[in-house]
Amino acid sequence: MNRFTDKLKRAMVLFLGASIMLLSGCGGDNPEESGEGSETTAPAVTDESGATVTDAEGNPVLMVPVTDESGAEVTDESGNIVYEVPEEKIIYKVGFIYNNKLENGATNKIFENARDQIERTIGLETCYIEESLVADLPAAVNNLKESGCNIIVSCSPIFANSITKEANVDKDTYFLNYGGTSSAQNMSSFGGALYQTASVCGIAAAHNTASNVIGVIADPGEFNMYGVVNGFTLGAQEIWGVYTDVRVNLAWSKNEEKIREAIDDLVAQGCDVIMTYMENDYAVEYCNEIGVKVVGNSCDIAELAPENYLTGCFFNFSTFIIDEVRSINNDNFVSKVYKGTIATGCSRLVDFSENCKEGTADIGGKLYDYIKAGKAAIFEGEIKNNSGKVMVEKGQIMSYDNIMKIDWFVQGVRSVGDFTTVIYDPTPGELEVKE
């Protein structure tokens, strides 16, 4: 499993490029050593100076027999086994790139779980870079490669286009691209139907509101933000129908001051339940701090808001990432675009809490089971946008790919506030590779 030395690489070029085949017993002419029934010893690989090449543990690197299509050893005209330089075994190292601070939680926790399992179950070394800007993505990739990484995992959908470009340029590195929509020989992309579990969260929110005014704070850079917020709203409409009143405020996950302002604004509008869709845990924590019922995209929401959480939705990408890394390590990688759902265990739901009103788990659980069994489609028409235009005709069902392209809010979203601020000179991260 150890990588051969540079000597071996030079020896491979020398031997294979010159089409030299070393034969067993080349150190002497004694016919008894090559006679029938005698033991054959594979010759050692030597470099251009004639010195024996050794592996990282100091053992001689031996030639391997050439085999034909049936697996039988090839021999020359004299019956001697033909040997060749063994192929180098690639040792893989996996690097993760985060847009946010690792400690900020939310989606980061899912990727950190995958990173931990790669080290424990596959035995590969991993490392990461946090707080990378989109503009710094090429530099972050380069830093990881210089540290020995030949598998790179993108941990934010804002990197999707940049990672695709990197994969097209560097064919010797494998990329796993969160939020990407295409694959390549050395790249798989992955995402999922979080709108499915968001709809169940919407039912829970609608069943637990007293004011019938439900708030959403969302980061417009999050994966499929419109699809998730719309799925949540369509779920709420299962309870309140045309009377559903959802207020959406947009804010960047990195700006805690604006997150507070956006949530305070929703509360001032009468929202007594708030759904958060952010790249960190702060919005959930702040809702708990001010005593507002909350659902959010965090698998740890029960710890973050023990007195006020209802349920939550989140991705579980660990299984997919680990399977892809294992396939690369085993040399049987097949690129793909992964679309995780409730049925595949990728789109997950947090258990309903004791803070919920009676009946929440029953009605929410039924929708969850219907979706998992393929008996319920979230985006089934007729669906109008919040300007009254029909976007999905009656009886039609939007495909996953079309849901990923949504850039409008459904009818029922009655107001949208923008608390995002443009940062013209963002401060780049240090792009330090950390173990």
Side-chain angles (χ1 to χ4, degrees):
M1 293 295 290
N2 294 307
R3 182 185 294 276
F4 295 147
T5 62
D6 289 338
K7 272 188 181 180
L8 176 56
K9 294 179 182 178
R10 293 195 298 270
M12 288 172 65
V13 174
L14 180 65
F15 278 87
L16 297 181
S19 299
I20 296 176
M21 295 181 293
L22 297 183
L23 305 180
S24 171
C26 60
D29 298 327
N30 189 342
E32 294 181 2
E33 294 182 1
S34 58
E36 185 177 352
S38 64
E39 293 185 3
T40 302
T41 303
V45 176
T46 57
D47 62 18
E48 51 265 52
S49 70
T52 298
V53 175
T54 58
D55 60 22
E57 297 176 353
N59 300 313
V61 176
L62 302 180
M63 307 287 278
V64 295
V66 176
T67 57
D68 59 22
E69 294 180 355
S70 69
E73 294 178 343
V74 175
T75 58
D76 62 14
E77 294 179 354
S78 301
N80 297 308
I81 297 173
V82 177
Y83 290 91
E84 65 181 355
V85 176
E87 291 185 4
E88 180 187 12
K89 170 63 179 178
I90 298 175
I91 301 301
Y92 288 101
K93 182 177 179 180
V94 189
F96 288 66
I97 304 179
Y98 294 97
N99 171 242
N100 220 322
K101 289 182 179 180
L102 200 63
E103 64 189 25
N104 285 356
T107 310
N108 291 359
K109 296 173 185 175
I110 305 301
F111 287 100
E112 278 298 281
N113 181 55
R115 193 166 73 87
D116 176 67
Q117 290 190 50
I118 287 170
E119 292 189 347
R120 289 189 298 102
T121 64
I122 305 179
L124 299 185
E125 185 180 352
T126 72
C127 58
Y128 66 93
I129 288 176
E130 58 186 342
E131 293 191 282
S132 173
L133 303 174
V134 175
D136 293 330
L137 192 280
V141 169
N142 185 65
N143 287 358
L144 288 174
K145 289 194 292 187
E146 286 185 349
S147 75
C149 294
N150 39 18
I151 303 175
I152 294 177
V153 182
S154 164
C155 304
S156 175
I158 68 172
F159 296 141
N161 291 334
S162 298
I163 286 292
T164 300
K165 293 178 182 178
E166 292 293 321
N168 289 332
V169 171
D170 182 5
K171 299 296 185 180
D172 294 327
T173 300
Y174 289 93
F175 295 88
L176 302 182
N177 187 6
Y178 175 32
T181 57
S182 61
S183 63
Q185 183 178 359
N186 59 325
M187 181 185 76
S188 282
S189 294
F190 60 100
L194 198 64
Y195 58 84
Q196 291 182 331
T197 39
S199 69
V200 181
C201 290
I203 275 191
H207 193 66
N208 284 271
T209 178
S211 66
N212 193 28
V213 184
I214 302 170
V216 174
I217 178 169
D219 184 331
E222 280 289 87
F223 178 78
N224 192 217
M225 185 273 291
Y226 284 98
V228 171
V229 174
N230 285 340
F232 174 82
T233 305
L234 291 170
Q237 289 177 359
E238 293 292 322
I239 301 292
W240 290 102
V242 296
Y243 300 103
T244 302
D245 186 350
V246 174
R247 314 291 176 90
V248 178
N249 279 346
L250 305 177
W252 301 123
S253 296
K254 289 186 176 182
N255 194 326
E256 294 184 359
E257 179 182 353
K258 290 297 180 180
I259 289 175
R260 289 194 300 271
E261 290 181 15
I263 292 175
D264 289 343
D265 179 71
L266 292 172
V267 173
Q269 293 182 50
C271 300
D272 60 350
V273 178
I274 291 178
M275 183 255 197
T276 73
Y277 190 41
M278 312 293 287
E279 200 170 76
N280 61 26
D281 291 333
Y282 182 74
V284 170
E285 293 173 329
Y286 184 67
C287 285
N288 189 61
E289 179 183 325
I290 63 175
V292 176
K293 294 176 184 177
V294 61
V295 299
N297 61 315
S298 173
C299 53
D300 293 335
I301 192 170
E303 298 176 12
L304 298 167
E307 300 173 357
N308 293 290
Y309 87 98
L310 301 177
T311 183
C313 56
F314 64 97
F315 279 128
N316 174 27
F317 290 132
S318 293
T319 301
F320 169 78
I321 292 172
I322 292 164
D323 285 347
E324 292 297 280
V325 170
R326 183 176 284 112
S327 72
I328 293 170
N329 191 52
N330 293 338
D331 196 28
N332 57 7
F333 173 76
V334 178
S335 65
K336 59 184 69 67
V337 178
Y338 176 71
K339 306 170 183 178
T341 63
I342 285 179
T344 63
C346 178
S347 181
R348 294 289 187 92
L349 183 73
V350 176
D351 290 340
F352 298 103
S353 80
E354 295 179 356
N355 303 318
C356 293
K357 288 173 56 177
E358 185 178 351
T360 303
D362 290 336
I363 191 170
K366 286 181 180 178
L367 177 59
Y368 180 88
D369 290 340
Y370 282 145
I371 296 170
K372 186 175 182 179
K375 298 178 180 179
I378 311 305
F379 288 85
E380 182 173 4
E382 180 182 80
I383 298 176
K384 298 179 180 179
N385 66 14
N386 62 346
S387 297
K389 180 181 178 181
V390 175
M391 306 302 289
V392 183
E393 297 290 342
K394 185 176 181 179
Q396 298 297 308
I397 298 175
M398 288 191 77
S399 67
Y400 174 94
D401 290 337
N402 284 335
I403 293 171
M404 293 298 114
K405 298 174 184 176
I406 292 176
D407 60 358
W408 42 268
F409 288 113
V410 297
Q411 195 170 53
V413 175
R414 300 180 186 273
S415 67
V416 180
D418 191 351
F419 288 78
T420 60
T421 55
V422 178
I423 302 175
Y424 294 100
D425 296 307
T427 303
E430 297 179 358
L431 303 184
E432 178 185 356
V433 177
K434 301 178 181 179
E435 301 296 331

